[in-house]
Amino acid sequence: LTGTITAPVTPFSKGKVDYADLKKLVAFQIKGGIDGLVPVGTTGESPTLDYDEHLDVVRAVIAEARGRVPVIAGTGSNSTHEALHLTKLAHEAGADAMLLVAPYYNKPSQEGLFQHFSELAEATDRPIILYSIPGRCGIEIAVGTVERLRAKYPHVRWIKEAGGSVDRVDQLKQALGADLTVLSGDDSLTLPFMAVGAEGVISVASNLY
């Protein structure tokens, strides 16, 4: 789970998900040499899709990818119960990994974050990418919390870092080194992040380029 991973948009037509166009987008991405796909991240309209649509989009991307690239399902929520439900269903659908955003709006303590992610990590043995985006969530996943999760769960060894700070990426790599793979969550910061140890990007721009 490194390199350029696309967070695909979810195409709509007449107010409904356009699965034909979604399949075309997946095919376009794979033909272009992309390293992975993250359906139903926020770029993929996760806040506005209902449960059925959310899982149907994940299943459609898995079906079209046909194992050619990893499919990382966005299954995070500010409700632990909801995130757990989506994570289990995405696991059953065949997702290769999960992207789990910090609980937004709630602003839990770091212990609360640890307990939230722990419960989710225990629901799947597939790779988990933590997603820290304090500008949207109002809270950062602290380096110490990442260390605790990494120590307890071998499959929690990735983080999508969207805090806009090169120093923060450097701190994560200084603390965990090769035990943690950092992915940029901001296209424009990918190069400076990689200069201090990040190993790729979960990209929006790659929908087009």
Side-chain angles (χ1 to χ4, degrees):
L1 304 177
T2 59
T4 304
I5 299 168
T6 300
V9 299
T10 298
F12 283 79
S13 178
K14 298 179 180 177
K16 297 185 181 298
V17 176
D18 189 326
Y19 290 99
D21 272 359
L22 179 61
K23 290 181 179 180
K24 289 178 185 175
L25 177 58
V26 171
F28 171 75
Q29 291 295 312
I30 293 173
K31 183 179 179 182
I34 214 69
D35 295 306
L37 293 163
V38 184
V40 286
T42 42
T43 301
E45 303 286 355
S46 59
T48 52
L49 295 172
D50 63 32
Y51 280 132
D52 291 339
E53 290 170 328
H54 192 114
L55 270 300
D56 284 346
V57 168
V58 170
R59 293 184 184 107
V61 172
I62 291 169
E64 184 61 27
R66 300 194 302 278
R68 292 174 289 174
V69 297
V71 176
I72 304 154
T75 59
S77 172
N78 62 341
S79 160
T80 304
H81 180 76
E82 181 178 323
L84 191 61
H85 179 67
L86 291 172
T87 297
K88 287 178 177 178
L89 289 177
H91 180 114
E92 291 170 9
D96 298 292
M98 315 298 165
L99 178 70
L100 295 172
V101 69
Y104 37 87
Y105 190 82
N106 299 350
K107 296 180 72 173
S109 65
Q110 290 301 315
E111 179 61 25
L113 283 175
F114 178 76
Q115 295 299 334
H116 172 82
F117 287 121
S118 292
E119 189 159 342
L120 301 177
E122 288 168 11
T124 181
D125 58 357
R126 301 209 179 129
I128 285 175
I129 303 176
L130 303 173
Y131 182 10
S132 184
I133 179 165
R136 300 272 183 166
C137 295
I139 190 168
E140 183 175 75
I141 307 172
V143 174
T145 303
V146 178
E147 288 183 286
R148 288 179 69 193
L149 289 163
R150 179 67 188 90
K152 188 173 182 180
Y153 301 104
H155 59 305
V156 182
R157 53 153 298 193
W158 293 263
I159 188 167
K160 178 183 177 182
E161 182 53 47
S165 170
V166 174
D167 286 344
R168 154 87 173 178
V169 175
D170 187 48
Q171 289 164 14
L172 286 165
K173 294 303 289 185
Q174 290 289 340
L176 286 154
D179 284 341
L180 182 73
T181 298
V182 179
L183 300 169
S184 174
D186 188 326
D187 286 295
S188 65
L189 290 173
T190 302
L191 182 59
F193 278 13
M194 291 184 74
V196 292
E199 295 177 73
V201 58
I202 294 180
S203 176
V204 176
S206 60
N207 274 278
L208 293 174
Y209 301 106

